[in-house]
Amino acid sequence: MIRRAKISEIPDILSITRLCALKMEQNGIYQWNEHYPSQAAFLKDVEREELYVLEETDSILGTIVISTYMDEEYKPIQWLTPNGNSTYIHRLSVHPEHQGKGLAQQLMDFAEAYSKKHHFVSVRLDTFSQNHRNQRFYEQRGYQKLGDIFFPKQSEHPFHCYELVL
């Protein structure tokens, strides 16, 4: 089941994202660190009602943020659709013990269906340039790579921006 997250679940969510960060680091991918994702970011996500969890038998297995807010870093990108009617995916995570079971696909299916249902014209996101697995994941779903942005607190390497026109 995918549902909105509660503030009381943020410690569990942070635990999952930290485990994901450790797994990525073991694979030489330094995408998430002590600065990101943060408790403050998840609190804001819950307050905006944009943080969702994938739950199975009372355990949170994954997370996704479906936002309508466009970060400043995204403004220079030449998007495929006009700004103002897109959703933005952030902080997609699946507990490492449950990766490889299609849960990230389920979360993205949910986000794309949500976006269509609410009449958004596209779904936008970014993924780390050094995370080739994520790039293939999004490209196989039909997302188009459009340009690069930087998050200096996370990495010196760029993040690729992607968009799926609905």
Side-chain angles (χ1 to χ4, degrees):
M1 174 175 75
I2 299 175
R3 60 164 176 80
R4 281 205 176 102
K6 303 172 195 154
I7 285 182
S8 62
E9 296 169 323
I10 290 177
D12 293 335
I13 292 166
L14 281 168
S15 174
I16 291 170
T17 58
R18 287 190 180 118
L19 289 168
C20 288
L22 288 172
K23 182 168 183 183
M24 285 188 282
E25 286 173 16
Q26 291 167 359
N27 292 314
I29 300 166
Y30 299 92
Q31 177 175 341
W32 287 355
N33 57 31
E34 69 276 6
H35 302 290
Y36 186 88
S38 68
Q39 180 174 341
F42 284 125
L43 279 169
K44 195 176 283 185
D45 296 335
V46 171
E47 288 168 8
R48 289 183 179 155
E49 299 185 337
E50 296 178 338
L51 177 58
Y52 294 83
V53 294
L54 188 151
E55 181 182 58
E56 195 174 278
T57 58
D58 295 329
S59 291
I60 296 172
L61 305 183
T63 67
I64 191 168
V65 173
I66 308 168
S67 180
T68 57
Y69 176 76
M70 181 179 186
D71 291 319
E72 279 295 313
E73 290 85 356
Y74 286 151
K75 290 190 176 168
I77 299 299
Q78 294 296 305
W79 298 101
L80 300 171
T81 60
N83 292 336
N85 195 23
S86 299
T87 55
Y88 297 86
I89 303 303
H90 299 292
R91 297 178 276 291
L92 173 64
S93 68
V94 173
H95 191 293
E97 289 177 7
H98 299 280
Q99 291 178 3
K101 299 177 182 177
L103 300 182
Q105 295 279 9
Q106 285 181 38
L107 286 161
M108 286 304 298
D109 288 346
F110 175 83
E112 291 163 10
Y114 173 95
S115 299
K116 283 180 188 173
K117 179 182 174 187
H118 292 90
H119 309 289
F120 290 97
V121 295
S122 71
V123 179
R124 299 173 177 180
L125 54 87
D126 67 78
T127 194
F128 191 43
S129 62
Q130 306 303 297
N131 192 333
H132 303 292
R133 184 174 176 223
N134 275 9
Q135 292 168 47
R136 281 191 305 276
F137 173 78
Y138 293 118
E139 288 166 7
Q140 287 171 352
R141 294 187 67 85
Y143 285 77
Q144 294 182 53
K145 183 167 62 170
L146 301 173
D148 289 344
I149 58 174
F150 289 86
F151 295 105
K153 285 186 176 179
Q154 282 178 256
S155 176
E156 63 188 29
H157 298 288
F159 287 72
H160 299 321
C161 290
Y162 285 86
E163 185 171 21
L164 176 71
V165 178
L166 299 174

